[in-house]
Amino acid sequence: EKSEMLKWEKDLLGLFVTSHPLEGYQKIIQSKATPLSQVKNGISGQRIQVGGIISGIKKIITRNGKSMAFVSFEDLEDKIEIVFFPDTAEKNSSLLKENTIALIAGKIDHRDNVPKIICEKIEEILEG
């Protein structure tokens, strides 16, 4: 199966070779989301919706014992980090895994001069 092969490529080589898992989802992502390449032009605090695939996750435990996540998220052209604070991370824990294709709504954050998105809502895209 194609998605299985793409997963192997990513696991073994660190990248997708034969095609990109988002290719079948381009129409829906373009109609509902801002390209990641445009996020850096946004203003901190601006609300935005982006679409793409989770390519990596780093979970940490906060001082008060709750878990939060730093997610690498990419579309066909660019990549960004999305921060899931504990409430959002816990509410959406089933979606926070590699290769989830999703629309993510949140606020742009330019702290440390690296644009990130603070997630407010994530919704899985089930078909293209």
Side-chain angles (χ1 to χ4, degrees):
E1 195 193 330
K2 192 173 174 185
S3 66
E4 199 58 28
M5 187 166 85
L6 290 173
K7 189 178 167 334
W8 277 100
E9 290 175 357
K10 178 83 162 116
D11 289 348
L12 295 170
L13 306 170
L15 56 121
F16 299 108
V17 181
T18 43
S19 70
H20 196 285
L22 290 178
E23 278 174 7
Y25 296 88
Q26 266 313 84
K27 278 198 182 77
I28 192 162
I29 288 173
Q30 282 169 342
S31 69
K32 295 188 170 194
T34 302
L36 293 180
S37 57
Q38 289 178 24
V39 173
K40 24 186 167 325
N41 306 328
I43 309 139
S44 272
Q46 180 185 337
R47 282 210 158 79
I48 192 168
Q49 177 157 286
V50 293
I53 186 167
I54 294 178
S55 56
I57 297 175
K58 195 173 96 197
K59 290 188 175 168
I60 64 160
I61 303 297
T62 64
R63 272 186 237 129
N64 18 6
K66 292 187 178 283
S67 97
M68 65 182 284
F70 297 92
V71 168
S72 301
F73 193 70
E74 56 187 75
D75 60 13
L76 286 171
E77 278 121 48
D78 217 338
K79 199 175 203 164
I80 197 164
E81 185 175 69
I82 301 193
V83 181
F84 285 77
F85 283 116
D87 288 353
T88 324
E90 284 169 23
K91 243 195 327 233
N92 299 291
S93 61
S94 65
L95 296 180
L96 294 185
K97 53 185 187 286
E98 272 190 39
N99 301 320
T100 296
I101 295 172
L103 289 170
I104 293 181
K107 285 187 183 146
I108 298 175
D109 181 75
H110 283 289
R111 229 168 309 179
D112 314 324
N113 297 321
V114 180
K116 295 179 178 50
I117 296 174
I118 309 298
C119 177
E120 295 174 340
K121 188 172 153 237
I122 176 172
E123 173 193 344
E124 188 169 12
I125 303 173
L126 294 167
E127 52 193 63

